[in-house]
Amino acid sequence: MSTTDLPPEDMPINTESDFLQSIVGFEQILGMFDLLTDVIFWIKDTDSKIIYANKKFVEHLGFQTLRQVIGKSDMDFFPPHIAKQFMTDDQSVMDGQVITDRLELNMLQSGEFAWFSTSKRPLFNKQQRIVGSFGFTQLLSKASKVLSSIDAIKEPIEFVRENYHKDICVKDLAEMAFISVSALERRFKKYLLKTPKQFINEVRLENARRLLIESPLPISEIAFRCGFAEHSYFSRQFKIQFGLLPSTLRESMT
């Protein structure tokens, strides 16, 4: 008997695609994300409404069941300025931008703000049309607990968070940690997947985005307050990071 004569359930699985198609129920695959106890995972439609989320996401928002968050958007869970950031990101991702391990400010269930490392991607249907987005985010302090004994990365990170508006030299960060510049860069790459300069830049840009949404300050003043000496350089870096110019974000808030 040839394989073409076999009933579907007895057909051999030859490729990874065949294997995935043989699994019963997409919900079974999604349920696997509930095993990620320290990672928040979600799927949104083109209107940034929640289609699916893992248990950690539901708990992060202070709810008990997935039913309580399905069909709602970030506007239902976060202050307007934070929700607008997330929804702007969603649109940028669906427009083709890829977000990988980006540092961003998020709100904890306690109401306190904390830094998260976030990755987002567009979601395609079988016709290869974008029908939404999905993403993962992880509380940065979770990773920091694992590294609690490594002061060489902990102290520079806290210094950058508190002094992003100042002129920060990587050499000074290394001296602060009593290690060489090359050693500091290796540890940043290993634990944060970015160089110290990239980390400094991302912290500045995230704070600039917050000020653009929260305050009426001129863009040039925001750039200066966040450590950027040149307005044009700030605008270029902002567009690279978030997919739109600071002026475009400001206009979208009016």
Side-chain angles (χ1 to χ4, degrees):
M1 178 184 292
S2 68
T3 56
T4 56
D5 297 324
L6 291 172
E9 63 270 18
D10 293 330
M11 289 287 287
I13 297 174
N14 297 319
T15 67
E16 292 86 348
S17 178
D18 291 335
F19 174 80
L20 291 175
Q21 292 178 22
S22 73
I23 297 174
V24 178
F26 189 57
E27 294 83 359
Q28 184 180 183
I29 296 177
L30 290 178
M32 297 177 186
F33 290 99
D34 286 335
L35 300 177
L36 303 175
T37 57
D38 62 345
V39 176
I40 295 169
F41 170 73
W42 67 90
I43 298 175
K44 298 179 182 178
D45 64 13
T46 52
D47 294 322
S48 290
K49 293 183 178 179
I50 301 297
I51 299 301
Y52 177 81
N54 67 350
K55 288 183 179 179
K56 188 63 178 179
F57 180 97
V58 175
E59 293 171 357
H60 172 69
L61 294 178
F63 295 102
Q64 296 181 335
T65 66
L66 180 59
R67 188 184 298 252
Q68 293 173 290
V69 303
I70 291 294
K72 297 181 179 180
S73 74
D74 294 308
M75 286 293 185
D76 297 301
F77 308 125
F78 302 101
H81 65 285
I82 296 294
K84 182 65 177 180
Q85 290 180 19
F86 297 157
M87 296 174 75
T88 298
D89 274 353
D90 295 340
Q91 189 58 56
S92 296
V93 167
M94 289 185 284
D95 288 340
Q97 183 185 10
V98 173
I99 296 175
T100 303
D101 296 319
R102 195 187 69 199
L103 206 63
E104 64 182 18
L105 201 60
N106 198 341
M107 182 178 283
L108 300 174
Q109 186 177 344
S110 63
E112 298 179 7
F113 287 95
W115 290 102
F116 286 74
S117 178
T118 300
S119 297
K120 298 181 181 180
R121 296 290 188 277
L123 185 67
F124 297 87
N125 64 11
K126 292 183 178 180
Q127 289 72 43
Q128 292 302 301
R129 290 197 297 267
I130 294 177
V131 293
S133 64
F134 68 94
F136 299 83
T137 192
Q138 185 173 25
L139 181 61
L140 190 61
S141 63
K142 289 280 187 181
S144 297
K145 290 179 181 178
V146 178
L147 309 174
S148 60
S149 62
I150 306 178
D151 291 336
I153 189 172
K154 182 178 179 181
E155 190 171 347
I157 285 175
E158 292 303 321
F159 182 85
V160 172
R161 288 177 176 174
E162 296 174 3
N163 299 277
Y164 62 87
H165 56 288
K166 300 178 181 178
D167 183 23
I168 302 175
C169 177
V170 176
K171 182 180 178 181
D172 293 338
L173 294 179
E175 291 178 353
M176 179 189 310
F178 303 102
I179 59 176
S180 66
V181 170
S182 59
L184 183 72
E185 291 179 339
R186 285 195 300 271
R187 297 191 189 195
F188 264 75
K189 288 289 288 184
K190 180 178 181 180
Y191 298 118
L192 297 182
L193 304 180
K194 53 179 63 72
T195 66
K197 286 185 178 180
Q198 289 173 326
F199 179 77
I200 294 168
N201 201 51
E202 290 183 8
V203 171
R204 286 172 171 168
L205 290 170
E206 190 61 58
N207 279 277
R209 182 168 70 163
R210 175 178 56 81
L211 286 174
L212 281 167
I213 294 172
E214 291 181 347
S215 77
L217 291 171
I219 295 176
S220 57
E221 176 66 17
I222 290 175
F224 177 75
R225 290 193 179 196
C226 291
F228 294 96
E230 297 182 9
H231 185 187
S232 59
Y233 176 76
F234 164 66
S235 294
R236 288 197 303 272
Q237 291 298 305
F238 193 94
K239 186 172 184 179
I240 291 173
Q241 182 77 353
F242 300 118
L244 73 171
L245 291 168
S247 56
T248 303
L249 177 60
R250 175 59 66 78
E251 290 169 4
S252 71
M253 299 303 298
T254 59

